Amino acid sequence: MTQTGQAEPVLAIKDLRTHFFTDQGIVPAVDGIDLEVFHGQALGLVGESGCGKSVTGLSLMRLVSPPGRIVSGEVLLKGENLLSLTERQMRDRRGKDLGMIFQEPMTSLDPLYPVKDPLIEALRAHRQMAKPEALKEAVRLLAAVGIPDPERRARSYPHELSGGMRQRVMIAVALSCKPAVLIADEPTTALDVTVQAQILALLRDLQRDTGTAILLITHNLGLVAENCETVAVMYAGKVVEKAPVRTLFRNPRHPYTQGLLRAVPRLDHPPKKPLQTIAGMVPNPLKLPAGCRFRARCRWAIDRCAEEEPHLISIGGDHSAACWVQPEFDTILAEPAATRGAAL
């Protein structure tokens, strides 16, 4: 049994690897990750831009475009390996069992068609509705996601809607067939804070009402803290830490996670004092260093970090981190807060 009280995850990702085969070399964008998402729960996948979060989401949907290719692993949706399905079988799973809210709704909605069309198409394909019935359900879904005057808006084209409304349309499309899992890739990017709050409240309500599991892909740790039960931190194609949200925020055990949390603005931050940043740069994905990929930016790196790649090590309960310096952190975390802050 897991902390969620369920024996089996609705979505299990095992040793997933997605590489891009370029003229300059192979880019391991997703390089052997393991994740689990449970019914009615939300998992946050966080990290800097370019760490592999969005490629992970596209890999789950099997929508990676060349020169990218899923090279190994398993993606088990309710026990069925999606990577072993034919393309025709996978098309049937998309929307019906696995939905996705893409990062930019303006590029995801066809500008030549009114917004009701993708809803009607999904409902007819996956729920076998006649066109009049599908149109009626499309209007109901638009109303359910908070779009005013849904009958009129259903006939609108994407360019006639605000960013928030387009995002709501994408949520309606993703949820039209009541998928078991919803992948939300930066669902509030480029939206003002008021609309962000509305979108996230909508996702929570729909999750509560339908039991849909959510994989929330974001760089915003605040969104994860408010909307997820568990969190996985990615760096350079790897998951470097996994934990329940409260555990990770209270006791981050990977230097990269600690750096991300230090960079989050706080209300009690001293005025005029700059936020702390993570020194250095993300490694070139074509020339990844041996050993730990974060070691060049880590002040606690030891010889072993350059020689051997760390794997996720259990710290206790459902908390794990890929770091060889765990004993050092035990000492650091025992120090007074003021001293610890200076050290970290």
Side-chain angles (χ1 to χ4, degrees):
M1 298 293 284
T2 69
Q3 66 173 15
T4 62
Q6 296 178 331
E8 296 294 334
V10 63
L11 179 69
I13 305 165
K14 299 183 178 181
D15 197 30
L16 178 65
R17 299 175 188 270
T18 300
H19 296 176
F20 284 78
F21 298 84
T22 72
D23 293 338
Q24 292 75 36
I26 299 174
V27 175
V30 178
D31 200 18
I33 68 170
D34 298 273
L35 295 171
E36 293 181 335
V37 189
F38 292 87
H39 177 78
Q41 300 290 316
L43 167 69
L45 186 60
V46 302
E48 292 172 281
S49 296
C51 71
K53 306 186 304 297
S54 293
V55 176
T56 298
L58 292 172
S59 298
L60 303 182
M61 296 290 288
R62 278 181 49 182
L63 292 175
V64 178
S65 300
R69 187 169 77 242
I70 301 170
V71 296
S72 66
E74 293 183 319
V75 177
L76 303 177
L77 180 63
K78 296 186 287 187
E80 179 181 49
N81 186 9
L82 299 182
L83 302 187
S84 67
L85 301 181
T86 65
E87 180 54 33
R88 183 174 181 178
Q89 290 172 324
M90 189 62 203
R91 282 199 303 268
D92 185 58
R93 302 301 184 276
R94 295 189 195 109
K96 182 179 179 181
D97 299 309
L98 189 64
M100 186 166 185
I101 303 171
F102 293 92
Q103 187 167 350
E104 177 44 63
M106 195 59 187
T107 59
S108 301
L109 294 170
D110 194 323
L112 301 179
Y113 295 93
V115 296
K116 63 181 174 63
D117 282 26
L119 280 162
I120 291 173
E121 182 181 0
L123 291 166
R124 296 193 70 186
H126 297 301
R127 292 173 60 180
Q128 290 76 49
M129 289 185 175
K131 191 170 183 178
E133 183 185 9
L135 175 58
K136 184 177 180 180
E137 178 65 6
V139 172
R140 188 195 70 79
L141 285 165
L142 292 176
V145 296
I147 292 182
D149 196 2
E151 290 187 3
R152 180 172 67 87
R153 290 297 186 183
R155 299 189 295 272
S156 298
Y157 289 81
H159 73 273
E160 298 177 305
L161 302 179
S162 68
M165 283 195 178
R166 289 195 296 268
Q167 195 66 290
R168 289 170 187 264
V169 171
M170 288 303 302
I171 292 173
V173 173
L175 290 167
S176 61
C177 299
K178 301 178 181 178
V181 178
L182 175 64
I183 303 165
D185 187 3
E186 300 281 9
T188 60
T189 295
L191 303 181
D192 64 62
V193 292
T194 301
V195 177
Q196 283 186 27
Q198 293 171 348
I199 294 294
L200 292 167
L202 174 62
L203 286 178
R204 287 193 297 269
D205 290 344
L206 293 170
Q207 180 187 13
R208 182 193 63 231
D209 295 342
T210 65
T212 296
I214 294 178
L215 175 61
L216 177 61
I217 299 172
T218 181
H219 65 278
N220 189 327
L221 286 164
L223 296 186
V224 170
E226 294 179 5
N227 298 280
C228 298
E229 287 77 26
T230 55
V231 57
V233 180
M234 282 192 75
Y235 184 79
K238 294 278 190 180
V239 172
V240 296
E241 187 162 8
K242 291 192 293 187
V245 165
R246 290 186 178 182
T247 301
L248 184 126
F249 275 73
R250 291 173 179 173
N251 184 24
R253 297 299 292 258
H254 193 282
Y256 178 59
T257 308
Q258 294 170 350
L260 290 178
L261 290 171
R262 287 199 306 271
V264 174
R266 297 171 57 95
L267 291 175
D268 60 355
H269 189 77
K272 298 184 180 180
K273 183 178 180 180
L275 291 171
Q276 297 186 52
T277 60
I278 303 175
M281 299 289 292
V282 177
N284 183 340
L286 291 168
K287 299 177 181 178
L288 291 171
C292 176
R293 296 176 183 183
F294 187 69
R295 64 180 172 84
R297 307 174 73 184
C298 178
R299 69 180 65 188
W300 302 106
I302 58 178
D303 290 344
R304 187 179 186 186
C305 300
E307 300 165 355
E308 187 177 353
E309 184 175 356
H311 54 273
L312 287 169
I313 301 170
S314 177
I315 299 166
D318 295 310
H319 192 179
S320 57
C323 181
W324 296 127
V325 200
Q326 287 300 319
E328 300 291 339
F329 289 141
D330 289 336
T331 301
I332 293 164
L333 292 170
E335 296 174 356
T339 306
R340 182 169 71 244
L344 294 176

